[in-house]
mmCIF file of all heavy atoms in Angstrom:
data_model
loop_
_atom_site.group_PDB
_atom_site.id
_atom_site.type_symbol
_atom_site.label_atom_id
_atom_site.label_comp_id
_atom_site.label_asym_id
_atom_site.label_seq_id
_atom_site.Cartn_x
_atom_site.Cartn_y
_atom_site.Cartn_z
ATOM 1 N N ASP A 4 93.739 100.756 129.582
ATOM 2 C CA ASP A 4 94.612 100.984 130.731
ATOM 3 C C ASP A 4 95.497 99.769 130.987
ATOM 4 O O ASP A 4 96.685 99.906 131.301
ATOM 5 C CB ASP A 4 93.767 101.292 131.974
ATOM 6 C CG ASP A 4 93.074 102.649 131.880
ATOM 7 O OD1 ASP A 4 93.541 103.489 131.088
ATOM 8 O OD2 ASP A 4 92.064 102.854 132.584
ATOM 9 N N VAL A 5 94.920 98.568 130.846
ATOM 10 C CA VAL A 5 95.693 97.338 131.006
ATOM 11 C C VAL A 5 96.744 97.245 129.900
ATOM 12 O O VAL A 5 97.907 96.897 130.147
ATOM 13 C CB VAL A 5 94.766 96.105 130.966
ATOM 14 C CG1 VAL A 5 95.579 94.809 130.939
ATOM 15 C CG2 VAL A 5 93.824 96.112 132.162
ATOM 16 N N ILE A 6 96.329 97.544 128.669
ATOM 17 C CA ILE A 6 97.239 97.478 127.527
ATOM 18 C C ILE A 6 98.413 98.434 127.711
ATOM 19 O O ILE A 6 99.571 98.075 127.477
ATOM 20 C CB ILE A 6 96.485 97.797 126.220
ATOM 21 C CG1 ILE A 6 95.461 96.695 125.918
ATOM 22 C CG2 ILE A 6 97.462 97.954 125.059
ATOM 23 C CD1 ILE A 6 94.537 97.023 124.763
ATOM 24 N N GLN A 7 98.106 99.657 128.130
ATOM 25 C CA GLN A 7 99.163 100.655 128.310
ATOM 26 C C GLN A 7 100.195 100.187 129.335
ATOM 27 O O GLN A 7 101.403 100.267 129.096
ATOM 28 C CB GLN A 7 98.569 101.983 128.755
ATOM 29 C CG GLN A 7 99.625 103.087 128.929
ATOM 30 C CD GLN A 7 99.021 104.404 129.363
ATOM 31 O OE1 GLN A 7 97.951 104.442 129.972
ATOM 32 N NE2 GLN A 7 99.686 105.504 129.061
ATOM 33 N N ARG A 8 99.715 99.673 130.451
ATOM 34 C CA ARG A 8 100.634 99.223 131.500
ATOM 35 C C ARG A 8 101.486 98.052 131.003
ATOM 36 O O ARG A 8 102.699 97.989 131.246
ATOM 37 C CB ARG A 8 99.825 98.809 132.726
ATOM 38 C CG ARG A 8 100.658 98.299 133.890
ATOM 39 C CD ARG A 8 101.440 99.402 134.560
ATOM 40 N NE ARG A 8 102.210 98.866 135.671
ATOM 41 C CZ ARG A 8 101.744 98.708 136.917
ATOM 42 N NH1 ARG A 8 100.480 99.049 137.188
ATOM 43 N NH2 ARG A 8 102.508 98.240 137.867
ATOM 44 N N SER A 9 100.856 97.115 130.301
ATOM 45 C CA SER A 9 101.572 95.952 129.782
ATOM 46 C C SER A 9 102.672 96.363 128.810
ATOM 47 O O SER A 9 103.820 95.911 128.923
ATOM 48 C CB SER A 9 100.588 95.006 129.087
ATOM 49 O OG SER A 9 101.264 94.013 128.349
ATOM 50 N N LEU A 10 102.335 97.203 127.850
ATOM 51 C CA LEU A 10 103.307 97.595 126.831
ATOM 52 C C LEU A 10 104.427 98.453 127.412
ATOM 53 O O LEU A 10 105.587 98.335 127.005
ATOM 54 C CB LEU A 10 102.607 98.332 125.697
ATOM 55 C CG LEU A 10 101.676 97.483 124.822
ATOM 56 C CD1 LEU A 10 101.002 98.345 123.765
ATOM 57 C CD2 LEU A 10 102.436 96.343 124.153
ATOM 58 N N GLN A 11 104.101 99.323 128.356
ATOM 59 C CA GLN A 11 105.126 100.185 128.941
ATOM 60 C C GLN A 11 106.065 99.410 129.861
ATOM 61 O O GLN A 11 107.273 99.663 129.874
ATOM 62 C CB GLN A 11 104.481 101.340 129.706
ATOM 63 C CG GLN A 11 103.833 102.362 128.791
ATOM 64 C CD GLN A 11 103.297 103.580 129.523
ATOM 65 O OE1 GLN A 11 102.938 104.589 128.906
ATOM 66 N NE2 GLN A 11 103.210 103.506 130.834
ATOM 67 N N ASP A 12 105.525 98.440 130.591
ATOM 68 C CA ASP A 12 106.354 97.713 131.549
ATOM 69 C C ASP A 12 107.098 96.542 130.924
ATOM 70 O O ASP A 12 108.232 96.242 131.301
ATOM 71 C CB ASP A 12 105.489 97.193 132.702
ATOM 72 C CG ASP A 12 104.995 98.310 133.609
ATOM 73 O OD1 ASP A 12 105.407 99.469 133.412
ATOM 74 O OD2 ASP A 12 104.186 98.013 134.513
ATOM 75 N N ARG A 13 106.464 95.851 129.948
ATOM 76 C CA ARG A 13 107.042 94.604 129.471
ATOM 77 C C ARG A 13 107.116 94.492 127.939
ATOM 78 O O ARG A 13 107.568 93.480 127.416
ATOM 79 C CB ARG A 13 106.264 93.410 130.023
ATOM 80 C CG ARG A 13 106.144 93.392 131.546
ATOM 81 C CD ARG A 13 105.971 91.997 132.088
ATOM 82 N NE ARG A 13 107.138 91.176 131.876
ATOM 83 C CZ ARG A 13 107.099 89.945 131.366
ATOM 84 N NH1 ARG A 13 105.943 89.409 130.997
ATOM 85 N NH2 ARG A 13 108.201 89.246 131.218
ATOM 86 N N GLY A 14 106.666 95.520 127.239
ATOM 87 C CA GLY A 14 106.713 95.480 125.786
ATOM 88 C C GLY A 14 108.021 96.027 125.239
ATOM 89 O O GLY A 14 108.782 96.684 125.940
ATOM 90 N N ALA A 15 108.286 95.752 123.937
ATOM 91 C CA ALA A 15 109.503 96.274 123.317
ATOM 92 C C ALA A 15 109.383 96.240 121.801
ATOM 93 O O ALA A 15 108.775 95.325 121.233
ATOM 94 C CB ALA A 15 110.726 95.475 123.757
ATOM 95 N N LEU A 16 109.962 97.248 121.166
ATOM 96 C CA LEU A 16 110.103 97.308 119.707
ATOM 97 C C LEU A 16 111.604 97.225 119.438
ATOM 98 O O LEU A 16 112.353 98.131 119.823
ATOM 99 C CB LEU A 16 109.522 98.608 119.162
ATOM 100 C CG LEU A 16 108.042 98.866 119.471
ATOM 101 C CD1 LEU A 16 107.654 100.286 119.086
ATOM 102 C CD2 LEU A 16 107.171 97.853 118.746
ATOM 103 N N ILE A 17 112.042 96.150 118.811
ATOM 104 C CA ILE A 17 113.475 95.883 118.705
ATOM 105 C C ILE A 17 113.926 95.914 117.255
ATOM 106 O O ILE A 17 113.436 95.146 116.413
ATOM 107 C CB ILE A 17 113.822 94.521 119.329
ATOM 108 C CG1 ILE A 17 113.391 94.485 120.801
ATOM 109 C CG2 ILE A 17 115.321 94.238 119.202
ATOM 110 C CD1 ILE A 17 113.610 93.135 121.469
ATOM 111 N N LYS A 18 114.870 96.779 116.966
ATOM 112 C CA LYS A 18 115.501 96.858 115.644
ATOM 113 C C LYS A 18 116.637 95.840 115.594
ATOM 114 O O LYS A 18 117.538 95.843 116.447
ATOM 115 C CB LYS A 18 116.053 98.270 115.426
ATOM 116 C CG LYS A 18 117.040 98.434 114.274
ATOM 117 C CD LYS A 18 116.390 98.303 112.937
ATOM 118 C CE LYS A 18 117.345 98.745 111.832
ATOM 119 N NZ LYS A 18 118.607 97.977 111.778
ATOM 120 N N VAL A 19 116.571 94.935 114.607
ATOM 121 C CA VAL A 19 117.613 93.923 114.447
ATOM 122 C C VAL A 19 118.370 94.172 113.139
ATOM 123 O O VAL A 19 117.903 94.908 112.271
ATOM 124 C CB VAL A 19 117.006 92.494 114.444
ATOM 125 C CG1 VAL A 19 116.406 92.165 115.796
ATOM 126 C CG2 VAL A 19 115.956 92.349 113.344
ATOM 127 N N ARG A 20 119.520 93.530 113.008
ATOM 128 C CA ARG A 20 120.333 93.708 111.805
ATOM 129 C C ARG A 20 119.644 93.107 110.580
ATOM 130 O O ARG A 20 119.646 93.694 109.500
ATOM 131 C CB ARG A 20 121.705 93.073 111.995
ATOM 132 C CG ARG A 20 122.550 93.751 113.069
ATOM 133 C CD ARG A 20 123.902 93.041 113.222
ATOM 134 N NE ARG A 20 124.768 93.691 114.195
ATOM 135 C CZ ARG A 20 124.753 93.445 115.492
ATOM 136 N NH1 ARG A 20 123.910 92.539 115.969
ATOM 137 N NH2 ARG A 20 125.568 94.079 116.313
ATOM 138 N N ASP A 21 119.080 91.917 110.763
ATOM 139 C CA ASP A 21 118.398 91.245 109.665
ATOM 140 C C ASP A 21 117.499 90.153 110.253
ATOM 141 O O ASP A 21 117.486 89.925 111.467
ATOM 142 C CB ASP A 21 119.400 90.649 108.663
ATOM 143 C CG ASP A 21 120.467 89.792 109.338
ATOM 144 O OD1 ASP A 21 120.122 89.043 110.272
ATOM 145 O OD2 ASP A 21 121.640 89.871 108.926
ATOM 146 N N MET A 22 116.776 89.448 109.392
ATOM 147 C CA MET A 22 115.849 88.429 109.857
ATOM 148 C C MET A 22 116.578 87.216 110.439
ATOM 149 O O MET A 22 116.050 86.517 111.302
ATOM 150 C CB MET A 22 114.915 88.004 108.726
ATOM 151 C CG MET A 22 113.876 89.066 108.356
ATOM 152 S SD MET A 22 112.644 89.334 109.655
ATOM 153 C CE MET A 22 111.627 87.858 109.479
ATOM 154 N N ASN A 23 117.773 86.953 109.968
ATOM 155 C CA ASN A 23 118.553 85.862 110.558
ATOM 156 C C ASN A 23 118.824 86.125 112.034
ATOM 157 O O ASN A 23 118.672 85.240 112.881
ATOM 158 C CB ASN A 23 119.876 85.674 109.811
ATOM 159 C CG ASN A 23 119.702 84.945 108.495
ATOM 160 O OD1 ASN A 23 119.186 83.838 108.459
ATOM 161 N ND2 ASN A 23 120.119 85.578 107.409
ATOM 162 N N GLU A 24 119.210 87.349 112.339
ATOM 163 C CA GLU A 24 119.457 87.699 113.739
ATOM 164 C C GLU A 24 118.151 87.674 114.528
ATOM 165 O O GLU A 24 118.131 87.282 115.703
ATOM 166 C CB GLU A 24 120.098 89.078 113.849
ATOM 167 C CG GLU A 24 120.469 89.414 115.296
ATOM 168 C CD GLU A 24 121.043 90.812 115.459
ATOM 169 O OE1 GLU A 24 120.469 91.761 114.886
ATOM 170 O OE2 GLU A 24 122.046 90.957 116.181
ATOM 171 N N ALA A 25 117.062 88.064 113.888
ATOM 172 C CA ALA A 25 115.762 88.026 114.559
ATOM 173 C C ALA A 25 115.445 86.604 115.017
ATOM 174 O O ALA A 25 114.927 86.390 116.118
ATOM 175 C CB ALA A 25 114.670 88.539 113.625
ATOM 176 N N CYS A 26 115.774 85.627 114.195
ATOM 177 C CA CYS A 26 115.516 84.225 114.546
ATOM 178 C C CYS A 26 116.394 83.778 115.715
ATOM 179 O O CYS A 26 115.942 83.025 116.589
ATOM 180 C CB CYS A 26 115.750 83.326 113.343
ATOM 181 S SG CYS A 26 114.563 83.562 112.000
ATOM 182 N N VAL A 27 117.636 84.240 115.740
ATOM 183 C CA VAL A 27 118.536 83.903 116.842
ATOM 184 C C VAL A 27 117.988 84.450 118.155
ATOM 185 O O VAL A 27 117.945 83.752 119.181
ATOM 186 C CB VAL A 27 119.953 84.460 116.579
ATOM 187 C CG1 VAL A 27 120.839 84.279 117.823
ATOM 188 C CG2 VAL A 27 120.580 83.782 115.374
ATOM 189 N N ILE A 28 117.552 85.702 118.133
ATOM 190 C CA ILE A 28 116.996 86.326 119.339
ATOM 191 C C ILE A 28 115.692 85.646 119.747
ATOM 192 O O ILE A 28 115.432 85.428 120.932
ATOM 193 C CB ILE A 28 116.769 87.836 119.100
ATOM 194 C CG1 ILE A 28 118.117 88.534 118.873
ATOM 195 C CG2 ILE A 28 116.037 88.469 120.280
ATOM 196 C CD1 ILE A 28 118.001 89.977 118.431
ATOM 197 N N ALA A 29 114.882 85.281 118.750
ATOM 198 C CA ALA A 29 113.616 84.604 119.041
ATOM 199 C C ALA A 29 113.850 83.285 119.765
ATOM 200 O O ALA A 29 113.130 82.940 120.710
ATOM 201 C CB ALA A 29 112.838 84.365 117.750
ATOM 202 N N ASN A 30 114.863 82.540 119.333
ATOM 203 C CA ASN A 30 115.172 81.273 119.994
ATOM 204 C C ASN A 30 115.631 81.482 121.428
ATOM 205 O O ASN A 30 115.380 80.645 122.299
ATOM 206 C CB ASN A 30 116.231 80.507 119.210
ATOM 207 C CG ASN A 30 115.667 79.828 117.978
ATOM 208 O OD1 ASN A 30 114.567 79.300 118.005
ATOM 209 N ND2 ASN A 30 116.417 79.854 116.881
ATOM 210 N N ASP A 31 116.281 82.575 121.688
ATOM 211 C CA ASP A 31 116.712 82.883 123.049
ATOM 212 C C ASP A 31 115.512 83.253 123.921
ATOM 213 O O ASP A 31 115.432 82.857 125.086
ATOM 214 C CB ASP A 31 117.728 84.029 123.034
ATOM 215 C CG ASP A 31 118.250 84.346 124.418
ATOM 216 O OD1 ASP A 31 118.733 83.420 125.096
ATOM 217 O OD2 ASP A 31 118.169 85.514 124.844
ATOM 218 N N ILE A 32 114.562 83.983 123.346
ATOM 219 C CA ILE A 32 113.369 84.389 124.092
ATOM 220 C C ILE A 32 112.444 83.196 124.315
ATOM 221 O O ILE A 32 111.798 83.085 125.352
ATOM 222 C CB ILE A 32 112.628 85.519 123.346
ATOM 223 C CG1 ILE A 32 113.503 86.789 123.314
ATOM 224 C CG2 ILE A 32 111.272 85.817 123.974
ATOM 225 C CD1 ILE A 32 112.937 87.909 122.465
ATOM 226 N N ALA A 33 112.365 82.285 123.335
ATOM 227 C CA ALA A 33 111.508 81.085 123.421
ATOM 228 C C ALA A 33 110.086 81.460 123.830
ATOM 229 O O ALA A 33 109.604 81.043 124.881
ATOM 230 C CB ALA A 33 112.104 80.068 124.389
ATOM 231 N N PRO A 34 109.387 82.213 122.988
ATOM 232 C CA PRO A 34 108.088 82.761 123.385
ATOM 233 C C PRO A 34 106.954 81.735 123.364
ATOM 234 O O PRO A 34 107.057 80.673 122.727
ATOM 235 C CB PRO A 34 107.845 83.827 122.320
ATOM 236 C CG PRO A 34 108.495 83.261 121.098
ATOM 237 C CD PRO A 34 109.746 82.581 121.612
ATOM 238 N N GLU A 35 105.892 82.089 124.041
ATOM 239 C CA GLU A 35 104.668 81.283 124.008
ATOM 240 C C GLU A 35 104.082 81.298 122.594
ATOM 241 O O GLU A 35 103.813 80.254 122.007
ATOM 242 C CB GLU A 35 103.673 81.851 125.005
ATOM 243 C CG GLU A 35 102.328 81.137 125.014
ATOM 244 C CD GLU A 35 101.309 81.839 125.886
ATOM 245 O OE1 GLU A 35 101.486 83.037 126.202
ATOM 246 O OE2 GLU A 35 100.299 81.193 126.243
ATOM 247 N N HIS A 36 103.850 82.489 122.051
ATOM 248 C CA HIS A 36 103.327 82.658 120.691
ATOM 249 C C HIS A 36 104.371 83.366 119.838
ATOM 250 O O HIS A 36 104.893 84.407 120.239
ATOM 251 C CB HIS A 36 102.051 83.520 120.684
ATOM 252 C CG HIS A 36 100.977 83.033 121.611
ATOM 253 N ND1 HIS A 36 100.731 83.642 122.837
ATOM 254 C CD2 HIS A 36 100.092 82.029 121.492
ATOM 255 C CE1 HIS A 36 99.728 83.016 123.427
ATOM 256 N NE2 HIS A 36 99.320 82.036 122.646
ATOM 257 N N LEU A 37 104.659 82.814 118.668
ATOM 258 C CA LEU A 37 105.616 83.436 117.750
ATOM 259 C C LEU A 37 104.963 83.621 116.388
ATOM 260 O O LEU A 37 104.591 82.643 115.729
ATOM 261 C CB LEU A 37 106.866 82.562 117.604
ATOM 262 C CG LEU A 37 107.883 83.015 116.560
ATOM 263 C CD1 LEU A 37 108.488 84.356 116.953
ATOM 264 C CD2 LEU A 37 108.977 81.978 116.379
ATOM 265 N N GLU A 38 104.797 84.871 115.985
ATOM 266 C CA GLU A 38 104.280 85.166 114.649
ATOM 267 C C GLU A 38 105.447 85.458 113.711
ATOM 268 O O GLU A 38 106.304 86.288 114.017
ATOM 269 C CB GLU A 38 103.349 86.387 114.675
ATOM 270 C CG GLU A 38 101.996 86.125 115.303
ATOM 271 C CD GLU A 38 101.040 87.301 115.131
ATOM 272 O OE1 GLU A 38 101.417 88.304 114.476
ATOM 273 O OE2 GLU A 38 99.916 87.230 115.648
ATOM 274 N N VAL A 39 105.474 84.762 112.581
ATOM 275 C CA VAL A 39 106.459 85.048 111.533
ATOM 276 C C VAL A 39 105.698 85.731 110.410
ATOM 277 O O VAL A 39 105.128 85.098 109.529
ATOM 278 C CB VAL A 39 107.150 83.766 111.031
ATOM 279 C CG1 VAL A 39 108.232 84.121 110.016
ATOM 280 C CG2 VAL A 39 107.751 82.990 112.194
ATOM 281 N N SER A 40 105.659 87.053 110.477
ATOM 282 C CA SER A 40 104.882 87.851 109.543
ATOM 283 C C SER A 40 105.818 88.377 108.464
ATOM 284 O O SER A 40 106.402 89.455 108.589
ATOM 285 C CB SER A 40 104.194 89.004 110.293
ATOM 286 O OG SER A 40 103.248 89.656 109.492
ATOM 287 N N ALA A 41 105.952 87.579 107.403
ATOM 288 C CA ALA A 41 106.955 87.885 106.390
ATOM 289 C C ALA A 41 106.524 87.323 105.040
ATOM 290 O O ALA A 41 105.616 86.505 104.949
ATOM 291 C CB ALA A 41 108.300 87.301 106.796
#
């Protein structure tokens, strides 16, 4: 129930043009944890 609320309110699946753009967006978000799964 906690997971569902978290993902629906604050989660996102984002399609980017390429990995270069993904890095640009990541720098803007400046996250606590960043996984580079590649």
